[in-house]
Amino acid sequence: MFRLSNNLVGILNFITFLLSIPILWAGIWLRNKGASECEKFLDTPVIVLGVFLLVVSLAGLIGACCGVSWLLWIYLVVMFLLIVVLFCFTIFAFVVTNKGAGKVLSDKGYKEYRLGDYSNWLQKRVTSGKNWNKIKSCLIDAKICSDFQQRYLNDTLTVLYTRHLSALQAGCCKPPDSCGFTYQNPTTWDKTTNVTSDPDCNAWDNQSNVLCFNCNSCKAGLLDNLKSDWKKVAVINIIFLVFLIIVYSIGCCAFRNNRSENAYFAGWKHT
């Protein structure tokens, strides 16, 4: 007879199996219909996640409900490895996001972001040309600077300075204040002949698909967003880890039930 732990593992994996189908479908849709580099960048991770959930949930479902011990054993090994990986990632996320923060500017509503203030590991992720081109494509597709332009179009420079801009708006949609450019509107600035050592000043261009997307300040703004998001993810991971450990414990009980029943039926056949 199946026991409670087998039924619980079966129900949980059936739900996971149902969730894996739309995830897998979304990945395939992105691969075939993705209109931008940003969308196509996401297709492989989504497909891998969908296939992983599909295979693991089937192993757990069949192993628990049909009494197939070897499938349940594989399921438990994968679950254990997932717990270890998730634990390591959570620790790693806290470590790499512990460094770096925006610098408060006097008489400004926004902060200044410098790439060198963040961890070396994060810096390497955005200074890679291949990685940054994909990230930049996502930022352009998200219309961050288009929305910034429309929202503050009628602002004078004095008013713009008082706005509480996001890290991406301050880093990617306007030139650094140190450049001393002449303000026309939020995304249009006339370059001056002032000599500056800041490479972001030379990287700035008024074209909507350029602006300061190649600036270090933009990369720093992205890292500041990433830092905040990763800390939230790390907290969610802790909750998910507790859930996985509970499921793993129930799975171990189901595996023990399978072995006991197999041993019982084997002994019954010999009598």
Side-chain angles (χ1 to χ4, degrees):
M1 248 179 108
F2 289 116
R3 300 182 186 178
L4 179 61
S5 56
N6 294 70
N7 292 331
L8 284 174
V9 171
I11 292 170
L12 288 171
N13 282 284
F14 180 69
I15 294 171
T16 305
F17 171 76
L18 294 178
L19 289 174
S20 70
I21 295 173
I23 292 174
L24 185 58
W25 178 86
I28 295 171
W29 184 87
L30 282 173
R31 172 161 291 183
N32 296 326
K33 303 291 185 180
S36 67
E37 184 75 15
C38 179
E39 290 177 342
K40 292 178 180 178
F41 177 63
L42 296 172
D43 62 357
T44 301
V46 172
I47 290 174
V48 170
L49 177 62
V51 171
F52 175 78
L53 291 176
L54 182 69
V55 172
V56 172
S57 61
L58 280 175
L61 184 62
I62 296 171
C65 295
C66 300
V68 184
S69 295
W70 67 270
L71 267 180
L72 197 54
W73 182 83
I74 292 175
Y75 169 77
L76 290 174
V77 170
V78 172
M79 286 289 289
F80 176 77
L81 293 176
L82 182 60
I83 289 170
V84 172
V85 169
L86 203 57
F87 176 78
C88 293
F89 173 77
T90 302
I91 298 299
F92 176 75
F94 276 117
V95 171
V96 299
T97 58
N98 191 47
K99 183 182 178 184
K103 180 183 177 183
V104 177
L105 301 173
S106 61
D107 301 324
K108 302 288 195 305
Y110 52 86
K111 297 179 181 178
E112 183 181 77
Y113 301 91
R114 296 178 180 176
L115 188 59
D117 292 339
Y118 297 87
S119 71
N120 291 330
W121 188 87
L122 286 176
Q123 288 184 50
K124 288 178 182 178
R125 303 287 79 77
V126 296
T127 52
S128 164
K130 183 179 179 181
N131 288 345
W132 184 248
N133 285 336
K134 292 178 179 178
I135 295 170
K136 182 169 64 174
S137 171
C138 292
L139 295 176
I140 295 172
D141 288 346
K143 301 186 183 302
I144 292 170
C145 292
S146 297
D147 293 342
F148 167 77
Q149 158 77 359
Q150 292 175 6
R151 184 172 183 179
Y152 304 120
L153 181 60
N154 297 321
D155 283 4
T156 62
L157 182 59
T158 303
V159 173
L160 184 67
Y161 279 160
T162 64
R163 298 294 188 183
H164 297 286
L165 306 180
S166 69
L168 288 174
Q169 288 175 336
C172 306
C173 304
K174 56 178 285 299
D177 296 343
S178 60
C179 296
F181 293 166
T182 303
Y183 176 81
Q184 298 296 330
N185 66 54
T187 58
T188 304
W189 300 70
D190 293 337
K191 288 188 174 183
T192 61
T193 56
N194 294 340
V195 178
T196 176
S197 59
D198 191 342
D200 286 357
C201 299
N202 293 325
W204 169 265
D205 193 287
N206 288 329
Q207 294 182 44
S208 60
N209 62 340
V210 180
L211 299 177
C212 219
F213 287 120
N214 293 316
C215 299
N216 287 333
S217 62
C218 185
K219 296 172 183 178
L222 176 78
L223 292 186
D224 194 79
N225 264 21
L226 190 64
K227 174 185 173 181
S228 175
D229 291 342
W230 271 33
K231 284 191 173 180
K232 294 175 184 175
V233 169
V235 172
I236 294 172
N237 279 351
I238 293 173
I239 299 171
F240 189 48
L241 265 174
V242 174
F243 172 75
L244 283 180
I245 291 170
I246 293 172
V247 173
Y248 179 76
S249 301
I250 297 172
C252 288
C253 293
F255 180 69
R256 187 170 61 248
N257 291 342
N258 281 1
R259 295 194 64 179
S260 298
E261 288 176 2
N262 291 339
Y264 170 78
F265 286 118
W268 181 78
K269 287 180 181 179
H270 286 297
T271 56

